[in-house]
Structures are given as C-alpha cells and as structure tokens.
Amino acid sequence: MEGNNPIVENLANPHELEKIYRKDPEAFKKSFLSAWEQNQDSPVLAVWHERLFFQEESSGNASFCSRDFLFMGLLAILAGLSTRIILYFTEQSAIAPINFVFGIAPFLAAYFIHKKLPEKKIRYIIGAVFLVSALYINLLPLEQKDSINLAYLHLPVFLWVLVGLAYTGNEYGLGSARLSYLKFNGEFAIIYTSMGICGIILSLLTISLFQYIGLSIEDFYFANVVEFGAAALAIVAAYLILRNLKLAKNIAPYLAKIFSPLVLATLVAYLIAVVWVGKNPFLDRNFLLSFNIILFIVLGVTIYSISESGADERKTISDYINCALIMLSLVIDTVALSAILFRLTSYGITPNRIAVLGVNILIWANLIWITLSYLRFLRNKNGVSIVQDSVTKFLPVYGLWAAFVTFAFPLIF
C-alpha cells in the first residue's frame, strides 16, 4: 500500500529520506520503485530517480571496447614491456636501476594527457623533459658517488611533479587542480596497494601450483610476470580512479582521519622517548637521518589529510590534530636543520649535507606557511582554502629543488 511506503510518507522531509537511504540503500531502492510508479509527477522522486539510477543507465560507457579503455590497455602493455626491457639491461649492469621510473612515469603522463587534452605547448614540454631526463641520467657514470646517488634519489620527485603537470593540464596554475592531484595520489596508493595484494596472492598460488608438479618457476615468473604486472597495474589504477571509482574516494577521507591522530600519538611518544634516552641528532648521524625520515612521513600524512579535508569551512577535531602535527613537524625540522648546520660547519661541505640542508630549508619554510594558514583558519580569519593553498602552491618549489639536485649536483660535485 502507498500509505505503508516510508518514501511516500516522507516526501516532504528530505532529511528523513536521506536517513532512510543511508540506513539500507537496497531496501530504499525497492521501496522507491513502488513509490515512483505511483508518483511519477513528484519532483522530489524525480531527483531521487536520477540519483539512484543515473550511474546504472550510463554504465555502458565503461565498455571494454571503449576508446579510453583500449588506450589505457595499450599504455599498460607498453609500461610492462618497457619495465621488462629495463630489467634486462639493469641485470647486465648496462644502466642504473633508477631507470625503472621511466617504465611507469611517462605512460602515466601520457594517459593524463589523453584525458586532460592540454595545449600543445604543455605536451611538448612534458615530452621533451622526459626525453632529456632519460638521456641525462643515463649519461652519468655508473659509479657510487654521493652526487650521482643524490641525482638518483631526486629524479623520481622531479618526475612526480612533471606527471602532476600532465594531470593538471591547462589548469596547472590553479590550486584546486594541484589539490586534485594530491587527492589522486592518495587514492592511487589505496587502489594500487589493494591490487598489489591480490597480485601477491595470485603469484604465491601460481608458484605453489607449479611446485606441486615439480616445476620451479620463481625466477621466470618474477622477471616476466611480476615486473610486467607491477608497471601495468599503475596505469590500470590511474584509469580506475579517473573513471570515478568510488572505493578509493570513499575510503581515502576516513584513512586520513584515522591515521592523523595515530601518527600524532606515535610522534609525541617517540619524542618523549628521544628526550628520555638522551639521543642527540647533532652528534649521531644515523639518528639525524631517522629524524628526517620521520619528518618526511609526518609531512606526507599531514598533507594527505589536508588534501582530503574538502571545502567545508567548518572546523573539526581533524583540523586541530592536523595543526598539532604541523607544529610538531616544525619543531622536528628546526632541530634537524640546526643539527645539519652544525655538522656542515664542523665537518665541512659534502653533496649529501648540502642536499639535506636544502630540502630541510624548503620544508621548514613550507611548514611555517602551513602553520600560519592553519592558525588563521582556526581563529576564523580565513577559510580552509588558504590552508590548502599553502600546500599546493609550494609543490613546484619541491620540483625545482629536485631538478636542481638531479641535474646540477653531478656537474658541481
């Protein structure tokens, strides 16, 4: 009966309709079909009809024969083949292992260019920079020198920013586009890790099955399947995210809210333990290194949490936790910066010390900017967008520093 249908009974109560839907979406759909048959002139139900069935009606666009899917598949195969070729030359000690980054990054950029269609100038710049980077890094001697190792470490950061340029396309100057790229990275990590776990399980099962019949395929399987699949899955993950996959988009904000307080509690406990034990980053090089690693992890978690905060102007407990994390990060970076300057003046200049000093100065400046922005937001002087701007506007600076270390350090030192 129409009178027993909770949707019909609450047509004038949008809040209650939303509560009913969230409580049991499937039951809501069943009740909705009955209500819709009897009240197709209702504008409220017309809106709900589009909301419930729009995705189902348009799902045919995700066909396995669609142009977008075929292009993604081609790029995934090329990424896998490129990675396998790079593995061969790496095993022959002909090239450095850092070349594995070229098995994924250019193909991700190509897919983003395909989706975003930036102007020709941007496409030419991206292609030229990838080509120059690949040529330059392989012209460096295969030697274990500090300046060359630093170039290897900073190249992925530089290419990450370059892929971000492909992702943002013509909107590279907009903070919202850069923020979207940061969100993409969080969602990418979730999807890629999930698929990677499934791939590990499949690999273990495959190897075990062949072992039962007396065949050992570990080396062949790793070289020809695992390496290929690891690169190809990166393109597939990007495709799924840009197809608006709801799994990552729904999980990412909750992960940010869960891990931020956990990281804050862990960091406070660690700093207390450091003081209790009496560790000194000014004298202990390994401890200074661990201090910087902690700083990078905390900065990454905080930026990820900020990027997932959305455009809501209301302050939540997560904002206070993020602000506390940023302030603690600032304390850590100040101590690390002081220790680096001490070691630089006491033991002399080396490529490693200059590189670490540079990145710590950048992080220190960025943390101050984020802290001041957050304090203004918490004191109701600005919206949350100013906090997000303090993150997104600084990203190119990290890219420029990474480019400087990658291309200039081997020449200077």
Side-chain angles (χ1 to χ4, degrees):
M1 294 289 293
E2 182 177 327
N4 296 327
N5 192 314
I7 295 177
V8 177
E9 294 173 356
N10 292 281
L11 275 179
N13 191 343
H15 181 75
E16 190 62 29
L17 285 177
E18 186 66 28
K19 283 178 61 178
I20 297 171
Y21 171 75
R22 294 193 180 198
K23 183 177 180 180
D24 191 344
E26 290 303 318
F28 184 93
K29 277 190 176 184
K30 292 178 181 179
S31 299
F32 177 83
L33 291 174
S34 175
W36 176 245
E37 288 179 1
Q38 303 174 39
N39 299 273
Q40 293 192 13
D41 58 340
S42 168
V44 174
L45 293 184
V47 172
W48 272 99
H49 186 272
E50 290 301 316
R51 176 180 176 183
L52 293 173
F53 301 106
F54 175 80
Q55 189 63 35
E56 295 173 13
E57 291 172 357
S58 61
S59 60
N61 294 333
S63 169
F64 289 110
C65 295
S66 69
R67 182 180 177 183
D68 188 38
F69 181 84
L70 293 175
F71 186 73
M72 178 277 297
L74 175 62
L75 288 178
I77 292 171
L78 290 175
L81 290 175
S82 299
T83 301
R84 181 61 186 91
I85 294 171
I86 292 170
L87 175 63
Y88 171 79
F89 286 105
T90 302
E91 290 175 338
Q92 304 301 315
S93 298
I95 59 175
I98 190 60
N99 280 278
F100 281 115
V101 73
F102 292 110
I104 297 176
F107 301 100
L108 274 178
Y111 183 64
F112 293 148
I113 290 173
H114 165 73
K115 293 292 291 184
K116 307 289 183 174
L117 296 175
E119 57 188 28
K120 287 185 178 180
K121 179 179 70 175
I122 296 176
R123 282 179 272 171
Y124 291 153
I125 289 174
I126 293 171
V129 173
F130 268 119
L131 181 60
V132 170
S133 300
L135 290 174
Y136 178 81
I137 211 71
N138 285 290
L139 287 174
L140 297 177
L142 291 173
E143 299 175 3
Q144 291 298 317
K145 290 185 176 180
D146 288 345
S147 59
I148 295 177
N149 289 333
L150 286 169
Y152 292 163
L153 287 173
H154 286 76
L155 177 65
V157 179
F158 172 62
L159 295 184
W160 174 75
V161 175
L162 187 61
V163 171
L165 176 60
Y167 180 91
T168 54
N170 296 327
E171 299 178 340
Y172 64 90
L174 298 179
S176 58
R178 296 177 185 177
L179 186 67
S180 176
Y181 181 54
L182 289 177
K183 290 182 178 181
F184 165 83
N185 279 269
E187 294 165 7
F188 180 88
I190 295 170
I191 294 300
Y192 188 84
T193 302
S194 301
M195 292 193 298
I197 291 172
C198 295
I200 291 171
I201 295 172
L202 177 61
S203 298
L204 293 175
L205 177 61
T206 303
I207 292 172
S208 298
L209 288 174
F210 276 88
Q211 283 179 340
Y212 287 143
I213 58 175
L215 294 177
S216 179
I217 64 167
E218 290 91 340
D219 294 338
F220 173 85
Y221 191 84
F222 178 82
N224 294 283
V225 178
V226 174
E227 289 283 342
F228 181 97
L233 280 182
I235 313 301
V236 176
Y239 167 81
L240 292 175
I241 293 168
L242 294 190
R243 293 292 306 179
N244 201 28
L245 185 69
K246 294 182 179 180
L247 172 64
K249 295 183 185 297
N250 290 339
I251 292 177
Y254 291 101
L255 287 179
K257 292 179 181 179
I258 290 171
F259 277 96
S260 292
L262 293 177
V263 171
L264 177 61
T266 302
L267 186 60
V268 170
Y270 178 76
L271 293 178
I272 293 173
V274 166
V275 175
W276 180 267
V277 174
K279 277 286 186 180
N280 190 342
F282 287 80
L283 302 176
D284 192 331
R285 180 176 177 273
N286 292 329
F287 181 60
L288 176 59
L289 177 62
S290 70
F291 229 54
N292 273 283
I293 292 173
I294 292 168
L295 175 63
F296 295 147
I297 293 174
V298 173
L299 181 64
V301 170
T302 308
I303 288 177
Y304 172 58
S305 184
I306 291 173
S307 70
E308 290 294 344
S309 61
D312 195 347
E313 300 293 330
R314 294 178 300 172
K315 293 180 287 294
T316 66
I317 187 64
S318 295
D319 292 309
Y320 291 96
I321 291 172
N322 288 339
C323 190
L325 267 175
I326 289 293
M327 289 181 173
L328 274 176
S329 300
L330 188 56
V331 171
I332 292 174
D333 193 33
T334 302
V335 174
L337 200 53
S338 303
I340 294 165
L341 288 171
F342 170 78
R343 295 182 65 83
L344 199 62
T345 55
S346 301
Y347 305 115
I349 294 175
T350 66
N352 284 334
R353 289 175 190 146
I354 293 296
V356 175
L357 175 65
V359 74
N360 273 271
I361 290 175
L362 292 181
I363 292 175
W364 189 74
N366 195 190
L367 287 172
I368 289 179
W369 188 3
I370 297 173
T371 301
L372 294 175
S373 300
Y374 238 129
L375 291 176
R376 291 181 67 84
F377 168 61
L378 295 176
R379 292 166 61 187
N380 296 318
K381 291 189 175 182
N382 286 103
V384 71
S385 60
I386 192 175
V387 181
Q388 296 172 342
D389 286 344
S390 66
V391 172
T392 59
K393 289 182 178 179
F394 214 83
L395 291 179
V397 180
Y398 291 120
L400 290 173
W401 175 252
F404 178 71
V405 175
T406 300
F407 295 102
F409 268 44
L411 301 177
I412 295 173
F413 297 101

